Amino acid sequence: MAGERAPRAHVVCRADELPPGGRVLVNLDGRSVGVFNIDGQLHALHNRCPHAAGALCMGPVTGTTAPTEAGARTFVYTQANHILRCAWHGWEFEIESGRCLSDDRVRAKRFKVAVDQGQVVVTI
Amino acid sequence: MIDCDVHNDWSSSNVLLPYIDPTFRDYLLRGELPGARGSFPHAHRPWLHPEDFRRHDIKPTTDDEHYSFMREHLLDRYQHDVAILTGEEALEVSTLANPHYASALARAYNDWAVDTWLPRDDRFWMSLIVAPQDPQGAAAEIRRLGAHPRVVQVLTSHGSYRPYGDKFYEPIWEACHEMGLPWAVHLGGQGGINYQPIGGGPTTYYWETHALLLQPAMTHVASVIANGIFERYPNQKLLVIECGVTWLPSILWRLDANWRALRKETPWVKRLPSEYARDHIRMSTQPLEEAATKQQLWDVLRAMDGENMLMFASDYPHWDFDAPDDMPLPPTWMDKVMDANARQVYTKLPRTPVPWQLDAHKEPAL
Ligand code: FES
């Protein structure tokens, strides 16, 4: 099983191939992984949504509405480009934490990612 | 035992004449009516019960008989502790285009009920009927009479001009919350200005339509949750009366699933719809679905936490009456469903619940 393997570092692409706002999808040891550059920070997530195993990392990177008062029913747009909406049913995940906005108990799986000698390296 | 839906009828709408504002007394006295003198001003639904919607073993004619028959056939027969009066035709004020007339009729009904029904029996508690198409008038009425010690809820028909979570009704929610009264939505108002009581277009037959009575109730439940009414009014309750029961878990599952994906559309909704429902919505049992087996029914009722969500109602004296001594519910739920749950909601009732004892409430053999 994948979980029983020792973690392995995989070179995904050259760092300059993943500029801010960019994303690459790769298959690493049979696992689909999305790597995102958000404002210069790299994030790697399992392209398998905790909801129904959908294509999480193929959804839009976007913002969302912050909780507001019911009385005014106003909208405050927030976390622009920090939210990943699953490509399937649209559950929202904070890219930085993997937290699901509609259910605190749900997390998207994140992997370690770093730049090493000009290469983007994901450890899974 | 608490019965959440008992219809206190009149012999004629003329009983309202001493109570209605002078301007509208003329309307009621000489104005056009949907039937003979004594019929109630409203727009009737286009589905007419082919045998009348009242039980045929109970045919009161005078106002005194309306009470004495109720006492005989319901209150004494089943040993009620509490009967929540829900009016009869007065609920249909919601169908009138003229909101001023509608509110005047509602006020007159409320005063008539306070004056003539409450003194008859100390088991009586009542609903304040309001005209939802006149939100300001309705709110004023809730503030005028809502503090009456025997007024336990605000009542409107489930047929409506708009879904009840809509901003249009904000004054009513505000007033309900201020006066500490639940807003109860009861089957009715399926005509006049009320928009599409049946989705997809008007059905053809009475029984067919009656089976679909859940449709507008579904709309109100979704609308009230989506518009954040329970965020805005944290102690507010919505009561769903005579709209069926077993559809609720299915709708809540769907609402939960959609909210998880599209919570950004309503950022004021901060919890799962089913969590708001659990805390703020209660349903009356009647007309309880007659499932093929008790097990099927109980499975669905468990999925909606029926033990805590349901409140018994008979709907006396209508054709789809449910008798309290014949409720197909898990025996361990009876204390709550037949009494305690309603006491939590109707906070003016005596606080101590009365445990359910079938023998005490059993109809004497005929
Ligand atoms: S699979 Fe991702 S939201 Fe359903």
Side-chain angles (χ1 to χ4, degrees):
Chain A
M1 268 180 60
E4 289 162 7
R5 285 190 308 235
R8 259 184 57 194
H10 303 261
V11 172
V12 168
C13 61
R14 286 199 320 273
D16 59 11
E17 290 173 317
L18 188 56
R23 128 175 43 187
V24 293
L25 271 176
V26 286
N27 194 303
L28 305 177
D29 279 351
R31 254 192 280 196
S32 178
V33 174
V35 188
F36 299 82
N37 184 336
I38 308 292
D39 302 339
Q41 293 282 329
L42 298 183
H43 303 275
L45 288 95
H46 195 182
N47 182 27
R48 185 186 156 89
C49 178
H51 172 220
L56 171 63
C57 296
M58 297 176 79
V61 172
T62 178
T64 191
T65 55
T68 49
E69 287 310 308
R73 295 190 190 112
T74 50
F75 298 91
V76 177
Y77 197 71
T78 180
Q79 291 183 281
N81 302 320
H82 290 260
I83 300 296
L84 177 60
R85 290 184 65 83
C86 176
W88 280 23
H89 313 104
W91 286 25
E92 298 170 294
F93 296 88
E94 246 172 34
I95 294 177
E96 277 85 348
S97 63
R99 190 173 72 88
C100 173
L101 296 193
S102 60
D103 191 337
D104 219 26
R105 295 159 308 185
V106 174
R107 287 278 187 286
K109 176 132 188 65
R110 287 168 45 85
F111 301 112
K112 224 174 105 192
V113 58
V115 175
D116 188 13
Q117 301 178 5
Q119 306 283 344
V120 174
V121 178
V122 172
T123 306
I124 68 170
Chain B
M1 184 249 292
I2 299 175
D3 185 339
C4 296
D5 190 13
V6 176
H7 292 288
N8 49 310
D9 204 353
W10 52 51
S11 59
S12 152
S13 68
N14 288 338
V15 299
L16 301 183
L17 287 170
Y19 298 94
I20 194 164
D21 311 354
T23 307
F24 295 105
R25 185 176 299 134
D26 287 354
Y27 288 43
L28 189 57
L29 200 57
R30 291 189 306 277
E32 181 181 352
L33 294 173
R37 282 289 133 205
S39 67
F40 184 65
H42 70 287
H44 208 66
R45 56 192 139 74
W47 304 277
L48 301 177
H49 193 301
E51 291 285 350
D52 191 14
F53 61 87
R54 296 174 187 88
R55 274 171 52 173
H56 283 273
D57 58 333
I58 303 165
K59 290 192 179 297
T61 49
T62 66
D63 285 295
D64 281 343
E65 278 178 358
H66 276 288
Y67 169 61
S68 62
F69 286 20
M70 179 194 289
R71 197 181 57 213
E72 179 192 346
H73 291 282
L74 186 77
L75 306 171
D76 290 353
R77 175 165 294 183
Y78 298 104
Q79 291 294 304
H80 279 49
D81 296 299
V82 169
I84 310 288
L85 302 178
T86 46
E88 181 67 74
E89 286 179 296
L91 198 62
E92 302 293 319
V93 292
S94 69
T95 60
L96 292 176
N98 182 335
H100 314 290
Y101 192 20
S103 274
L105 288 164
R107 283 194 298 272
Y109 164 79
N110 293 329
D111 283 337
W112 170 75
V114 166
D115 215 29
T116 66
W117 275 91
L118 289 182
R120 282 181 167 131
D121 203 300
D122 62 11
R123 289 168 285 193
F124 286 158
W125 303 73
M126 66 174 264
S127 318
L128 214 54
I129 291 182
V130 298
Q133 70 273 48
D134 176 22
Q136 279 74 22
E141 178 64 352
I142 293 163
R143 292 192 173 94
R144 181 179 77 92
L145 264 186
H148 189 288
R150 291 262 157 174
V151 165
V152 295
Q153 69 186 358
V154 170
L155 188 68
T156 63
S157 66
H158 84 327
S160 63
Y161 177 61
R162 303 182 75 84
Y164 286 142
D166 192 286
K167 263 191 173 150
F168 180 72
Y169 299 108
E170 201 70 49
I172 303 184
W173 287 110
E174 211 171 9
C176 285
H177 193 251
E178 188 184 312
M179 303 308 292
L181 294 172
W183 181 343
V185 173
H186 181 296
L187 165 71
Q190 297 172 295
I193 59 167
N194 290 335
Y195 191 68
Q196 296 192 353
I198 297 296
T203 40
T204 313
Y205 304 104
Y206 183 91
W207 68 266
E208 173 196 15
T209 308
H210 191 75
L212 300 175
L213 49 73
L214 44 90
Q215 289 190 3
M218 288 177 169
T219 305
H220 297 310
V221 164
S223 164
V224 165
I225 292 173
N227 282 289
I229 296 298
F230 302 130
E231 278 291 335
R232 178 137 196 217
Y233 305 109
N235 303 319
Q236 186 60 42
K237 291 272 194 296
L238 168 69
L239 310 180
V240 180
I241 314 279
E242 198 175 356
C243 294
V245 171
T246 57
W247 51 269
L248 185 68
S250 154
I251 279 293
L252 292 176
W253 289 328
R254 304 189 69 83
L255 289 171
D256 280 2
N258 288 359
W259 178 80
R260 280 180 199 278
L262 290 176
R263 53 148 295 286
K264 74 171 200 172
E265 202 181 2
T266 55
W268 45 84
V269 177
K270 295 174 187 133
R271 296 190 289 149
L272 283 171
S274 59
E275 293 175 20
Y276 291 110
R278 183 194 61 207
D279 294 346
H280 298 276
I281 296 178
R282 297 291 178 269
M283 306 186 92
S284 79
T285 50
Q286 185 276 343
L288 191 58
E289 285 81 2
E290 298 178 29
T293 67
K294 222 182 232 187
Q295 198 50 51
Q296 288 174 355
L297 177 68
W298 291 9
D299 283 346
V300 185
L301 295 182
R302 284 200 183 94
M304 57 178 277
D305 191 21
E307 179 175 6
N308 295 301
M309 291 278 276
L310 293 174
M311 311 190 300
F312 169 72
S314 72
D315 193 29
Y316 173 92
H318 293 168
W319 70 292
D320 50 347
F321 171 84
D322 282 344
D325 61 350
D326 191 28
M327 292 298 291
L329 294 174
T332 53
W333 292 12
M334 294 301 276
D335 285 352
K336 284 184 170 176
V337 175
M338 303 306 285
D339 191 287
N341 290 347
R343 271 180 220 275
Q344 300 253 317
V345 167
Y346 300 128
T347 49
K348 290 177 188 172
L349 297 181
R351 305 309 305 142
T352 318
V354 181
W356 173 252
Q357 288 174 295
L358 180 60
D359 290 346
H361 297 287
K362 213 169 170 47
E363 179 186 18
L366 290 173

